[in-house]
Amino acid sequence: MRYQKRRTSARLLFASALAAAFSLVSGCGGWTTGEKITVQDENPALAAAFAHLLEEQGTAKLSDVIASSGVPIGEWDRMFSVRSPISSDSLNEKLGTQGVQLIGLNTDSDSMTQVFLSGGKVVYAYEDKLPRYGVKKGHARPDSLVSPKSHVVKEVGGGERTAWYLQIEGFS
């Protein structure tokens, strides 16, 4: 009888361990593996570097704009513009990563986050506030050109004006 109780206890213990391991691997219970990256507030120096380029209506490489701001992003090879809200699965699909979680990702539908990667790892992410300077499609690279573009805006009550913005060259 004592042998049978130990055997039953051992089986229960083994089954519990197996169930716990399965839930961790399958992602049950909200547990997630992967890197966690904290989204930084927009750096005023980076916003100023973009604003300066727009003011001069100049064209520059994205890496030069970032370097001129002094923001310590480090080495990076791709930049993605991520609109909110976005699920972790959609985020990882867009970035080509697995298990990345952005902590502090704004969830309102008007927000955007710029995410920088190096060799498939996220190295920096920041909340991009108005006016935004993102990539419309695909991703940008350090050698992507940042260029001024314009469009005509209809004014309330009639009339039109030309509005200028910066476009960052994107690659798929």
Side-chain angles (χ1 to χ4, degrees):
M1 184 84 140
R2 185 181 254 177
Y3 175 74
Q4 191 174 15
K5 282 184 181 179
R6 276 193 223 157
R7 195 169 168 193
T8 303
S9 294
R11 282 184 183 167
L12 284 172
L13 183 60
F14 178 73
S16 296
L18 190 60
F22 178 74
S23 70
L24 290 177
V25 170
S26 67
C28 294
W31 189 81
T32 313
T33 61
E35 63 183 315
K36 294 180 180 181
I37 303 296
T38 300
V39 176
Q40 305 295 313
D41 287 334
E42 183 175 49
N43 188 301
L46 185 55
F50 279 113
H52 180 71
L53 184 63
L54 183 59
E55 218 173 77
E56 291 190 350
Q57 293 196 359
T59 297
K61 289 192 296 184
L62 181 57
S63 60
D64 292 340
V65 175
I66 292 169
S68 72
S69 75
V71 175
I73 293 174
E75 294 294 319
W76 61 278
D77 54 25
R78 292 178 295 151
M79 179 190 99
F80 289 86
S81 298
V82 179
R83 288 202 173 273
S84 293
I86 188 168
S87 69
S88 290
D89 289 342
S90 296
L91 174 70
N92 284 294
E93 185 178 318
K94 180 177 178 97
L95 300 178
T97 56
Q98 196 171 25
V100 170
Q101 290 181 288
L102 292 181
I103 308 301
L105 185 63
N106 200 328
T107 57
D108 84 40
S109 61
D110 198 32
S111 69
M112 183 177 285
T113 301
Q114 306 301 342
V115 182
F116 293 82
L117 287 92
S118 178
K121 293 201 63 87
V122 176
V123 295
Y124 190 79
Y126 75 92
E127 182 182 356
D128 194 359
K129 298 185 176 156
L130 290 171
R132 294 188 202 94
Y133 306 107
V135 183
K136 285 189 178 187
K137 291 186 180 180
H139 64 274
R141 300 188 295 223
D143 62 345
S144 290
L145 293 179
V146 182
S147 308
K149 302 289 180 198
S150 67
H151 67 279
V152 176
V153 176
K154 295 193 184 275
E155 296 284 338
V156 176
E160 298 177 339
R161 69 176 173 85
T162 301
W164 287 90
Y165 64 97
L166 290 175
Q167 179 175 311
I168 301 174
E169 178 182 28
F171 299 90
S172 296

